[in-house]
Amino acid sequence: SDLRLCREELVSLRPRPCKQYCKVDIIVTGVPPGDEYPYDMQVRANCNGLDLFDLLPVEGSYSTAVRKNNTSSYSVRIPRQKQSDIKLDFFEKDGEDGPVGGIDLGNEMDRKGYDWTKESLDDIYIILDFVRMDFSLKIVEWNPYKLEIEI
């Protein structure tokens, strides 16, 4: 972000969009045709927003459900973090108990070189193999020319 002093009546500043969140797309493979993935997913992190003036991450508990897009596609947005202390938890559908498992997403993001200090945060694609109980993660640079609109 740029700072301009307003010493005249008219000052102009061209906006530069900066993405302050990481979009995580999850594709589940290995689920038999006609069946549904048997778990709900939730993301937990340690920063829950941004300071209004300096746009630095604000520490606080962040937890959100992962949204189902279709039978094998899910997505979630994670706000800018100070460090990659992020967990992806799995819960039994309609289950009252706590998580039945999880992935240390932050550790894998660090291992792959994810940078929380970039001006515009990158996105992540995860392939979650249900049969092998394994996953792979890929960092994808944000495309500022791809407009995302949610209604």
Side-chain angles (χ1 to χ4, degrees), residues 23-88:
K23 183 178 181 208
V24 180
D25 288 315
I26 302 170
I27 304 298
V28 177
T29 63
V31 177
D35 286 356
E36 197 171 301
Y37 186 61
Y39 301 107
D40 287 326
M41 293 178 269
Q42 180 179 3
V43 167
R44 290 182 293 125
N46 287 330
C47 293
N48 60 12
L50 300 173
D51 184 274
L52 183 61
F53 297 105
D54 59 16
L55 295 179
L56 292 175
V58 174
E59 288 190 36
S61 180
Y62 178 76
S63 177
T64 186
V66 176
R67 184 180 74 186
K68 182 177 181 178
N69 299 327
N70 58 43
T71 56
S72 63
S73 171
Y74 299 80
S75 64
V76 66
R77 291 185 177 145
I78 303 171
R80 186 177 294 276
Q81 301 290 303
K82 288 185 177 180
Q83 58 193 18
S84 294
D85 189 11
I86 303 165
K87 308 292 187 237
L88 177 62

Side-chain angles (χ1 to χ4, degrees):
S1 66
D2 292 333
L3 180 63
R4 296 276 174 100
L5 296 176
C6 296
R7 295 187 180 173
E8 300 174 20
E9 283 193 37
L10 181 64
V11 173
S12 65
L13 178 63
R14 176 170 278 198
R16 282 190 340 227
C18 296
K19 190 162 80 64
Q20 301 294 336
Y21 63 88
C22 168
K23 183 178 181 208
V24 180
D25 288 315
I26 302 170
I27 304 298
V28 177
T29 63
V31 177
D35 286 356
E36 197 171 301
Y37 186 61
Y39 301 107
D40 287 326
M41 293 178 269
Q42 180 179 3
V43 167
R44 290 182 293 125
N46 287 330
C47 293
N48 60 12
L50 300 173
D51 184 274
L52 183 61
F53 297 105
D54 59 16
L55 295 179
L56 292 175
V58 174
E59 288 190 36
S61 180
Y62 178 76
S63 177
T64 186
V66 176
R67 184 180 74 186
K68 182 177 181 178
N69 299 327
N70 58 43
T71 56
S72 63
S73 171
Y74 299 80
S75 64
V76 66
R77 291 185 177 145
I78 303 171
R80 186 177 294 276
Q81 301 290 303
K82 288 185 177 180
Q83 58 193 18
S84 294
D85 189 11
I86 303 165
K87 308 292 187 237
L88 177 62
D89 295 323
F90 301 94
F91 295 85
E92 295 278 349
K93 288 191 182 287
D94 302 325
E96 303 271 334
D97 299 330
V100 295
I103 294 173
D104 188 345
L105 197 54
N107 185 45
E108 186 66 13
M109 290 169 74
D110 283 345
R111 200 175 75 70
K112 295 281 186 163
Y114 194 86
D115 183 4
W116 288 105
T117 63
K118 282 182 81 170
E119 187 174 41
S120 287
L121 294 177
D122 292 329
D123 293 330
I124 291 178
Y125 289 118
I126 296 174
I127 304 295
L128 187 60
D129 190 329
F130 177 63
V131 174
R132 295 183 182 163
M133 299 305 283
D134 195 16
F135 76 100
S136 64
L137 182 144
K138 180 180 179 183
I139 297 171
V140 181
E141 192 169 315
W142 177 57
N143 179 357
Y145 303 104
K146 179 184 168 192
L147 184 62
E148 294 181 18
I149 299 175
E150 271 191 33
I151 298 178

